[in-house]
Amino acid sequence: MKEILSANQIHDGVRQLADQVKAIYGDQPLTIVAILTGSLVLLADLIRHLEMPLRVALIQATRYRTPDEPDGNPDAHVALLPKLKGRDVLVIDDIFDTGHTLVEMLAQILEYEPASLRSAVLMRKNGRSEVPIQPDIVMFEIPDEFVVGYGLDYEDRFRNLPFVAALEPEDIAAE
Ligand code: IMP
Ligand code: MG
């Protein structure tokens, strides 16, 4: 595995992300909607830097990938969604790749009529976006490689790594 972001870099990045969230929302109540499963670790670290009245909601994104449709549209499943109507909502995800997941999640959440809706991601892959929107906050730009760790998985493994690494062919062969 090739390390892309060290545990220290991530730690500093999450603190900076929290500072940007505080600069936007101040002491206003905030509802964070985390896109499962990849953003679990980010969620846990981020919310402990925030002091405003905070609610946490979870939404499950499933992207149907079949041989015929490797880039199928993501589908949202409400996992644990408290009232969002009239609230300031920040959606968080681990990584912005093609952007289809975030676009679909934002569309679903807009149906609940939040007062405001923004998005933040830990990482964005260079040159991959296929959508006309960008996250409001991006902490790290990373090369176009398949990465794991800090919540991100390959076939449901590696989420527990404290750093982010690119998987190399021999890592996949060893699985
Ligand atoms: P998008 O819809 O293409 O932007 O993909 C976003 C989702 O795909 C993220 O929520 C991740 O769960 C997953 N994903 C994208 N790139 C990677 C990667 O390199 N490793 C692991 N998961 C990824
Ligand atoms: Mg995900």
Side-chain angles (χ1 to χ4, degrees):
M1 273 190 208
K2 183 178 67 180
E3 189 174 281
I4 302 277
L5 298 173
S6 71
N8 273 338
Q9 277 176 295
I10 297 169
H11 183 264
D12 291 348
V14 173
R15 214 181 40 227
Q16 287 166 29
L17 201 166
D19 288 343
Q20 292 193 35
V21 173
K22 289 180 202 172
I24 295 171
Y25 298 99
D27 298 327
Q28 293 297 112
L30 175 64
T31 301
I32 289 186
V33 177
I35 302 177
L36 294 175
T37 305
S39 64
L40 264 184
V41 182
L42 171 64
L43 173 70
D45 282 349
L46 175 65
I47 63 175
R48 283 176 285 175
H49 291 292
L50 299 175
E51 289 126 33
M52 72 274 282
L54 188 78
R55 293 184 174 86
V56 173
L58 303 173
I59 192 166
Q60 174 88 53
T62 309
R63 198 156 174 193
Y64 297 110
R65 294 182 200 265
T66 65
D68 292 338
E69 200 188 10
D71 289 317
N73 276 336
D75 195 10
H77 299 278
V78 170
L80 184 63
L81 216 48
K83 181 183 150 212
L84 300 181
K85 191 179 168 91
R87 291 193 170 143
D88 292 311
V89 172
L90 176 68
V91 176
I92 65 166
D93 204 0
D94 47 6
I95 191 164
F96 184 93
D97 182 12
T98 64
H100 291 295
T101 299
L102 190 60
V103 163
E104 182 60 30
M105 297 306 122
L106 292 175
Q108 301 264 348
I109 291 165
L110 273 177
E111 290 179 15
Y112 293 89
E113 301 176 12
S116 71
L117 182 58
R118 292 186 179 84
S119 57
V121 297
L122 185 70
M123 294 175 278
R124 175 167 58 197
K125 264 190 223 176
N126 274 329
R128 289 273 302 162
S129 178
E130 296 175 0
V131 297
I133 65 140
Q134 291 296 323
D136 296 285
I137 306 174
V138 177
M139 276 336 298
F140 296 103
E141 301 285 348
I142 65 159
D144 179 11
E145 294 186 69
F146 193 84
V147 291
V148 296
Y150 199 73
L152 290 102
D153 73 303
Y154 168 70
E155 297 197 336
D156 290 317
R157 287 214 44 218
F158 305 113
R159 294 191 196 275
N160 53 319
L161 297 178
F163 52 86
V164 170
L167 270 195
E168 293 173 295
E170 55 267 35
D171 300 319
I172 294 171
E175 277 302 294

